[in-house]
Amino acid sequence: MDIALVGSINIDLVYRVPYIVNNGETLHSVSHSVHFGGKGANQAVTASQLGADVHFIGKVGEDEFGEHAIKNLQDKGVSVDSVRKEGATGQAIIQVTDVGDNAIVLFSGANFLVTPKQIEQEATIISLSKVLLLQLEIPLDTVERAVEIASQHGKIVILNPAPSQKLPNSLLKNITFLTPNETELAQLTGIETTTEENIRSACSLLLDKGVGTVVVTLGSKGSFYMNRKESGWVQALSVDTIDTTGAGDAFNGALAVGLCRGDSLRSSIEFATKVAAYVVTQMGAQPLIPDSIME
Ligand code: RIB
């Protein structure tokens, strides 16, 4: 197995709106659609479509949404033997504007019932993988336990710190690749990320806490990476954006695939940039990715 993914599974209720609704306002949506989502599931589906062998550890609800979400993962080639059922499936209410910007309200549901105990029961899965890939839509103590197990086995750990929250040093020191966007980087470090100098300072702070490499995604400005040996920028690709939902997830899923294959850091980031650029040209967070993307 290549990737063990500990993370969230949601159903996305997507509303196209002329602009993001204001406080106290009632706004008509232009259209409504339902998609499979959840940062964990989006990353798993991307990685699987790109050829990785992905094993998902998570939870859906004991409801119809849960059934559909599991079937979707299976259809996309993700192993779901470690996806349990409890409570209600997570949901995301997503507004998407004409220029593809979004705003998301989350109902965590079953994602918040993924416990450290469930992770301990799946420790073998983590120990058999090359990479552990996680996000922060499940409880932090669960993330911490999974990372502990992975680092005991010397695995590559990729943490996408989204949605953002403060992270303890005991967790950061075991992260091989941390992949915040610029807002998350600012929230994690307390350093404004408006200039390259500030971004470098924020990354340095995280390296001092033991993170192996920081990869910062900055939307149209591309991405910046930094570790003790190298740093650099990878340019964003210019595309016609339809929906930015899941772009970060596609980036993380593809980055994990590149690193799993043993590609260099820079070429893994270039590959991830290409995959994320494709995803924003499609509606929904889990579009079908054409084989041509591998060329
Ligand atoms: O990153 C996008 C995802 O965030 C959506 O699919 C939604 O479910 C939320 O988890």
Side-chain angles (χ1 to χ4, degrees), residues 84-152:
R84 305 277 170 254
K85 290 184 186 167
E86 189 180 348
T89 300
Q91 291 177 32
I93 295 165
I94 306 182
Q95 300 176 50
V96 180
T97 70
D98 286 345
V99 289
D101 292 336
N102 66 40
I104 302 180
V105 176
L106 272 184
F107 163 64
S108 297
N111 296 311
F112 255 60
L113 303 175
V114 182
T115 58
K117 194 168 165 214
Q118 185 184 348
I119 301 303
E120 279 156 19
Q121 286 161 352
E122 306 293 350
T124 314
I125 298 296
I126 296 174
S127 73
L128 290 174
S129 64
K130 281 191 201 155
V131 169
L132 173 69
L133 176 59
L134 321 96
Q135 322 73 34
L136 296 175
E137 286 184 337
I138 57 171
L140 187 60
D141 58 350
T142 305
V143 168
E144 288 179 286
R145 190 68 192 111
V147 171
E148 250 169 38
I149 293 170
S151 65
Q152 276 159 12

Coordinates of all heavy atoms in Angstrom, one line a residue, residues 84-152:
R84 N -15.6 3.3 9.1 CA -16.6 2.8 10.0 C -17.9 3.7 9.8 O -17.8 4.8 9.2 CB -16.2 2.8 11.4 CG -14.9 2.0 11.6 CD -15.1 0.5 11.8 NE -13.9 -0.2 11.7 CZ -13.5 -1.0 10.7 NH1 -14.2 -1.1 9.6 NH2 -12.3 -1.6 10.8
K85 N -19.0 3.3 10.4 CA -20.3 4.0 10.4 C -20.7 4.4 11.8 O -20.8 3.5 12.6 CB -21.3 3.2 9.7 CG -21.1 3.0 8.2 CD -22.3 2.2 7.6 CE -22.0 1.9 6.2 NZ -23.0 0.9 5.7
E86 N -21.1 5.6 12.0 CA -21.6 6.1 13.3 C -22.2 7.5 13.1 O -21.7 8.3 12.4 CB -20.5 6.1 14.3 CG -21.0 6.4 15.7 CD -19.9 6.5 16.8 OE1 -18.7 6.1 16.5 OE2 -20.2 6.9 17.9
G87 N -23.4 7.7 13.7 CA -23.9 9.1 13.7 C -24.4 9.5 12.3 O -24.9 8.7 11.5
A88 N -24.2 10.8 12.0 CA -24.6 11.3 10.7 C -23.4 11.7 9.8 O -22.4 12.2 10.3 CB -25.5 12.5 10.9
T89 N -23.5 11.5 8.5 CA -22.4 11.8 7.6 C -22.2 13.3 7.6 O -23.1 14.1 7.6 CB -22.8 11.3 6.2 OG1 -23.0 9.9 6.2 CG2 -21.7 11.7 5.2
G90 N -20.9 13.7 7.5 CA -20.5 15.1 7.5 C -21.0 15.8 6.2 O -21.2 15.1 5.2
Q91 N -21.3 17.1 6.4 CA -21.8 17.8 5.2 C -21.1 19.2 5.1 O -20.6 19.7 6.1 CB -23.3 18.2 5.4 CG -24.2 17.0 5.3 CD -25.7 17.4 5.6 OE1 -26.1 18.5 5.3 NE2 -26.4 16.5 6.2
A92 N -21.0 19.7 3.9 CA -20.5 21.0 3.7 C -21.5 21.8 2.9 O -21.9 21.3 1.8 CB -19.1 20.9 3.0
I93 N -21.8 23.0 3.4 CA -22.7 23.9 2.6 C -21.7 24.9 1.9 O -21.0 25.6 2.6 CB -23.7 24.6 3.5 CG1 -24.6 23.5 4.0 CG2 -24.5 25.6 2.7 CD1 -25.4 23.9 5.2
I94 N -21.7 24.9 0.6 CA -20.7 25.6 -0.1 C -21.3 26.6 -1.1 O -22.1 26.3 -1.9 CB -19.8 24.7 -0.9 CG1 -19.2 23.6 0.0 CG2 -18.7 25.4 -1.6 CD1 -18.3 22.6 -0.7
Q95 N -20.9 27.9 -0.9 CA -21.3 28.9 -1.9 C -20.1 29.1 -2.9 O -19.0 29.2 -2.5 CB -21.5 30.3 -1.2 CG -22.6 30.3 -0.1 CD -22.6 31.7 0.5 OE1 -22.7 32.7 -0.1 NE2 -22.6 31.6 1.9
V96 N -20.5 29.0 -4.2 CA -19.4 29.3 -5.2 C -19.9 30.4 -6.1 O -21.0 30.4 -6.6 CB -19.2 28.0 -6.1 CG1 -18.2 28.2 -7.2 CG2 -18.9 26.8 -5.3
T97 N -19.0 31.4 -6.3 CA -19.3 32.6 -7.1 C -19.0 32.3 -8.6 O -18.3 31.3 -8.9 CB -18.6 33.8 -6.6 OG1 -17.2 33.6 -6.9 CG2 -18.7 34.0 -5.1
D98 N -19.4 33.3 -9.4 CA -19.1 33.2 -10.8 C -17.6 33.1 -11.2 O -17.2 32.6 -12.2 CB -19.7 34.4 -11.6 CG -21.2 34.3 -11.7 OD1 -21.7 33.2 -11.4 OD2 -21.8 35.3 -11.9
V99 N -16.8 33.7 -10.3 CA -15.3 33.6 -10.6 C -14.7 32.5 -9.8 O -13.4 32.3 -9.8 CB -14.6 35.0 -10.2 CG1 -15.0 36.1 -11.2 CG2 -14.9 35.4 -8.8
G100 N -15.5 31.6 -9.3 CA -15.0 30.3 -8.7 C -14.6 30.4 -7.2 O -14.1 29.4 -6.7
D101 N -14.7 31.6 -6.6 CA -14.4 31.7 -5.2 C -15.4 31.0 -4.4 O -16.6 30.8 -4.8 CB -14.4 33.2 -4.7 CG -13.2 33.9 -5.4 OD1 -12.2 33.3 -5.7 OD2 -13.4 35.2 -5.5
N102 N -15.1 30.5 -3.2 CA -16.1 29.8 -2.4 C -16.0 30.2 -0.9 O -15.1 30.9 -0.4 CB -15.9 28.3 -2.5 CG -14.6 27.8 -1.9 OD1 -14.2 28.3 -0.9 ND2 -13.9 26.9 -2.6
A103 N -17.1 29.9 -0.2 CA -17.2 30.0 1.3 C -17.9 28.7 1.7 O -18.9 28.3 1.1 CB -18.0 31.2 1.6
I104 N -17.4 28.1 2.8 CA -17.9 26.8 3.2 C -18.3 26.8 4.7 O -17.6 27.3 5.6 CB -16.7 25.7 3.0 CG1 -16.3 25.7 1.6 CG2 -17.2 24.4 3.5 CD1 -15.1 24.7 1.3
V105 N -19.5 26.2 5.0 CA -19.9 26.0 6.3 C -19.9 24.4 6.5 O -20.5 23.7 5.7 CB -21.3 26.5 6.6 CG1 -21.8 26.1 8.0 CG2 -21.4 28.0 6.4
L106 N -19.2 24.0 7.6 CA -19.0 22.5 7.8 C -20.0 22.0 8.9 O -20.1 22.7 9.9 CB -17.6 22.2 8.2 CG -16.5 22.0 7.2 CD1 -15.3 21.6 7.9 CD2 -16.9 20.9 6.2
F107 N -20.5 20.8 8.6 CA -21.2 20.1 9.7 C -20.3 18.8 9.8 O -20.3 18.0 8.9 CB -22.6 19.7 9.4 CG -23.1 18.6 10.2 CD1 -23.3 18.7 11.6 CD2 -23.5 17.4 9.6 CE1 -23.8 17.7 12.4 CE2 -24.0 16.3 10.4 CZ -24.1 16.5 11.8
S108 N -19.5 18.7 10.9 CA -18.5 17.6 11.0 C -19.1 16.2 11.1 O -18.6 15.3 10.5 CB -17.7 17.8 12.3 OG -17.0 19.0 12.2
G109 N -20.3 16.1 11.8 CA -20.9 14.8 11.9 C -20.0 13.7 12.3 O -19.2 13.8 13.2
A110 N -20.0 12.6 11.5 CA -19.3 11.4 11.8 C -17.7 11.6 11.8 O -17.0 10.9 12.5 CB -19.6 10.3 10.9
N111 N -17.3 12.7 11.1 CA -15.8 12.9 11.1 C -15.3 13.2 12.5 O -14.1 12.9 12.8 CB -15.5 14.1 10.2 CG -15.9 13.8 8.7 OD1 -15.6 12.8 8.2 ND2 -16.7 14.8 8.1
F112 N -16.1 13.8 13.3 CA -15.6 14.1 14.7 C -15.8 12.9 15.6 O -15.4 13.0 16.8 CB -16.3 15.4 15.2 CG -15.3 16.5 15.2 CD1 -14.8 16.9 14.0 CD2 -14.8 17.1 16.4 CE1 -13.8 17.9 13.9 CE2 -13.9 18.1 16.3 CZ -13.4 18.5 15.1
L113 N -16.2 11.8 15.0 CA -16.3 10.5 15.8 C -15.2 9.6 15.4 O -15.1 8.4 15.9 CB -17.7 9.8 15.6 CG -18.9 10.7 15.9 CD1 -20.2 10.0 15.6 CD2 -18.9 11.1 17.4
V114 N -14.2 10.0 14.7 CA -13.0 9.3 14.4 C -12.1 9.4 15.6 O -11.6 10.5 15.8 CB -12.3 9.8 13.1 CG1 -11.1 8.9 12.7 CG2 -13.3 9.7 11.9
T115 N -11.9 8.4 16.3 CA -11.2 8.5 17.6 C -9.8 7.9 17.5 O -9.4 7.1 16.7 CB -11.9 7.7 18.7 OG1 -12.0 6.3 18.2 CG2 -13.3 8.2 18.9
P116 N -8.9 8.3 18.5 CA -7.6 7.7 18.6 C -7.7 6.2 18.7 O -6.8 5.5 18.1 CB -7.0 8.3 19.9 CG -7.7 9.6 20.0 CD -9.1 9.4 19.5
K117 N -8.7 5.7 19.3 CA -8.9 4.2 19.5 C -9.1 3.6 18.1 O -8.5 2.5 17.8 CB -10.1 3.9 20.4 CG -10.2 2.5 20.8 CD -11.2 2.3 21.9 CE -11.4 0.8 22.0 NZ -12.8 0.5 22.4
Q118 N -9.9 4.2 17.2 CA -10.1 3.7 15.9 C -8.7 3.6 15.1 O -8.4 2.7 14.4 CB -11.1 4.5 15.1 CG -11.4 3.9 13.7 CD -12.3 4.8 12.9 OE1 -13.0 5.8 13.4 NE2 -12.5 4.5 11.6
I119 N -7.9 4.7 15.3 CA -6.6 4.7 14.7 C -5.7 3.6 15.2 O -5.0 2.9 14.4 CB -5.9 6.1 15.0 CG1 -6.8 7.2 14.4 CG2 -4.5 6.1 14.3 CD1 -7.1 7.2 13.0
E120 N -5.8 3.3 16.5 CA -4.9 2.3 17.1 C -5.3 0.9 16.5 O -4.5 0.1 16.2 CB -5.1 2.3 18.6 CG -4.2 3.3 19.2 CD -4.6 3.8 20.6 OE1 -5.4 3.0 21.3 OE2 -4.1 4.8 21.0
Q121 N -6.6 0.8 16.3 CA -7.1 -0.5 15.7 C -6.6 -0.7 14.2 O -6.5 -1.8 13.7 CB -8.7 -0.6 15.7 CG -9.2 -0.8 17.1 CD -10.7 -0.4 17.2 OE1 -11.3 0.2 16.3 NE2 -11.3 -0.7 18.3
E122 N -6.2 0.4 13.6 CA -5.8 0.4 12.2 C -4.2 0.6 12.1 O -3.8 1.0 11.0 CB -6.5 1.4 11.4 CG -8.0 1.4 11.5 CD -8.6 0.1 10.8 OE1 -7.8 -0.6 10.2 OE2 -9.8 -0.2 11.0
A123 N -3.5 0.5 13.2 CA -2.1 0.8 13.2 C -1.3 0.0 12.2 O -0.4 0.5 11.6 CB -1.5 0.5 14.6
T124 N -1.8 -1.2 11.9 CA -1.0 -2.0 10.9 C -1.1 -1.4 9.5 O -0.1 -1.4 8.8 CB -1.7 -3.5 10.8 OG1 -1.8 -3.9 12.2 CG2 -0.8 -4.4 10.1
I125 N -2.3 -0.8 9.2 CA -2.5 -0.2 7.9 C -1.4 0.9 7.8 O -0.8 1.1 6.7 CB -3.9 0.4 7.8 CG1 -4.9 -0.7 7.9 CG2 -4.0 1.3 6.6 CD1 -4.9 -1.7 6.8
I126 N -1.3 1.7 8.8 CA -0.3 2.8 8.8 C 1.1 2.3 8.6 O 1.9 2.8 7.9 CB -0.5 3.7 10.0 CG1 -1.8 4.4 10.0 CG2 0.6 4.8 10.1 CD1 -2.2 5.2 11.3
S127 N 1.4 1.2 9.4 CA 2.7 0.7 9.4 C 3.1 0.0 8.0 O 4.3 -0.1 7.7 CB 2.9 -0.4 10.5 OG 2.3 -1.6 10.1
L128 N 2.1 -0.3 7.2 CA 2.3 -1.0 5.9 C 2.4 0.0 4.8 O 2.7 -0.3 3.6 CB 1.2 -2.0 5.6 CG 1.3 -3.3 6.5 CD1 0.0 -4.1 6.2 CD2 2.5 -4.0 6.2
S129 N 2.1 1.3 5.1 CA 2.0 2.3 4.0 C 3.4 3.0 3.9 O 4.2 2.9 4.7 CB 1.0 3.4 4.3 OG 1.3 4.0 5.5
K130 N 3.5 3.7 2.8 CA 4.8 4.6 2.6 C 4.5 5.9 3.2 O 5.4 6.5 3.7 CB 5.1 4.7 1.1 CG 5.7 3.6 0.4 CD 6.2 4.0 -0.9 CE 6.4 2.8 -1.8 NZ 6.3 3.1 -3.2
V131 N 3.3 6.4 3.0 CA 3.0 7.8 3.4 C 1.7 7.8 4.2 O 0.8 7.1 3.9 CB 2.7 8.6 2.1 CG1 2.1 10.0 2.4 CG2 4.0 8.8 1.3
L132 N 1.7 8.7 5.2 CA 0.4 8.9 5.9 C 0.0 10.4 5.6 O 0.8 11.3 5.7 CB 0.6 8.8 7.5 CG -0.6 9.3 8.3 CD1 -1.7 8.3 8.2 CD2 -0.2 9.4 9.8
L133 N -1.2 10.5 5.1 CA -1.7 11.8 4.6 C -2.9 12.2 5.5 O -3.8 11.4 5.7 CB -2.1 11.7 3.1 CG -2.7 12.9 2.5 CD1 -1.9 14.1 2.5 CD2 -3.0 12.6 1.0
L134 N -2.9 13.4 6.1 CA -4.0 13.8 7.0 C -4.3 15.3 6.8 O -3.5 16.1 6.2 CB -3.6 13.7 8.5 CG -2.8 12.5 9.0 CD1 -1.3 12.9 9.0 CD2 -3.2 12.1 10.3
Q135 N -5.5 15.7 7.3 CA -5.9 17.0 7.3 C -6.5 17.3 8.7 O -6.3 16.4 9.6 CB -7.0 17.3 6.3 CG -6.8 16.6 4.9 CD -7.1 15.1 5.1 OE1 -8.0 14.7 5.8 NE2 -6.4 14.3 4.3
L136 N -7.2 18.4 8.9 CA -7.7 18.7 10.3 C -9.2 18.8 10.4 O -9.7 19.6 11.1 CB -7.0 20.0 10.8 CG -5.5 20.0 10.9 CD1 -5.0 21.4 11.3 CD2 -5.1 19.0 12.0
E137 N -9.9 18.0 9.6 CA -11.4 17.9 9.7 C -11.9 16.8 10.7 O -13.0 16.5 10.7 CB -12.1 17.8 8.4 CG -12.0 19.1 7.6 CD -12.7 19.1 6.2 OE1 -12.9 18.0 5.7 OE2 -13.1 20.1 5.7
I138 N -10.9 16.2 11.4 CA -11.2 15.2 12.4 C -10.6 15.7 13.7 O -9.8 16.6 13.7 CB -10.7 13.8 12.0 CG1 -9.2 13.8 11.7 CG2 -11.4 13.3 10.7 CD1 -8.5 12.5 11.5
P139 N -10.9 15.1 14.8 CA -10.3 15.6 16.1 C -8.8 15.6 16.1 O -8.2 14.7 15.6 CB -10.9 14.6 17.2 CG -12.1 14.1 16.5 CD -11.8 14.0 15.1
L140 N -8.3 16.6 16.8 CA -6.8 16.8 16.8 C -6.1 15.6 17.5 O -5.0 15.2 17.1 CB -6.4 18.1 17.4 CG -5.0 18.5 17.4 CD1 -4.4 18.6 15.9 CD2 -4.7 19.8 18.1
D141 N -6.7 15.1 18.6 CA -6.1 14.0 19.3 C -6.0 12.8 18.4 O -5.1 11.9 18.5 CB -6.7 13.7 20.7 CG -8.1 13.4 20.6 OD1 -8.8 13.5 19.5 OD2 -8.7 12.9 21.7
T142 N -6.9 12.6 17.5 CA -6.9 11.5 16.5 C -5.7 11.7 15.5 O -5.0 10.7 15.2 CB -8.2 11.4 15.8 OG1 -9.3 11.3 16.8 CG2 -8.3 10.2 14.9
V143 N -5.6 12.9 15.0 CA -4.5 13.2 14.1 C -3.2 13.0 14.8 O -2.3 12.3 14.3 CB -4.6 14.7 13.7 CG1 -3.3 15.2 13.0 CG2 -5.8 14.9 12.8
E144 N -3.1 13.4 16.1 CA -1.8 13.2 16.9 C -1.5 11.8 17.0 O -0.3 11.4 16.9 CB -2.0 13.9 18.2 CG -2.0 15.4 18.2 CD -2.1 16.0 19.6 OE1 -3.2 16.0 20.1 OE2 -1.1 16.5 20.1
R145 N -2.5 10.9 17.3 CA -2.2 9.5 17.5 C -1.7 8.8 16.2 O -0.8 8.1 16.2 CB -3.5 8.8 18.0 CG -3.3 7.4 18.5 CD -2.4 7.3 19.7 NE -2.0 6.0 20.0 CZ -0.7 5.5 19.9 NH1 0.3 6.3 19.6 NH2 -0.4 4.3 20.2
A146 N -2.4 9.2 15.1 CA -2.0 8.6 13.8 C -0.6 9.0 13.4 O 0.2 8.2 13.0 CB -2.9 9.1 12.7
V147 N -0.2 10.3 13.7 CA 1.1 10.8 13.4 C 2.2 10.1 14.2 O 3.3 9.7 13.8 CB 1.2 12.3 13.5 CG1 2.6 12.8 13.4 CG2 0.3 13.0 12.4
E148 N 1.8 9.9 15.5 CA 2.7 9.2 16.4 C 3.1 7.8 15.9 O 4.2 7.4 15.8 CB 2.0 9.0 17.8 CG 2.6 9.8 18.9 CD 1.6 9.7 20.1 OE1 1.0 8.6 20.3 OE2 1.4 10.8 20.7
I149 N 2.0 7.1 15.5 CA 2.2 5.7 15.0 C 3.1 5.7 13.8 O 4.0 4.9 13.6 CB 0.8 5.0 14.8 CG1 0.1 4.8 16.1 CG2 1.0 3.7 14.0 CD1 -1.3 4.4 16.0
A150 N 2.7 6.6 12.8 CA 3.5 6.7 11.6 C 5.0 7.0 11.8 O 5.9 6.4 11.2 CB 2.9 7.7 10.7
S151 N 5.2 8.0 12.8 CA 6.6 8.3 12.9 C 7.4 7.2 13.7 O 8.6 7.0 13.4 CB 6.8 9.7 13.6 OG 6.2 9.7 14.9
Q152 N 6.7 6.5 14.5 CA 7.4 5.3 15.2 C 7.8 4.3 14.1 O 8.8 3.6 14.3 CB 6.4 4.6 16.1 CG 6.3 5.2 17.5 CD 5.1 4.9 18.2 OE1 4.3 4.0 17.9 NE2 4.8 5.5 19.4

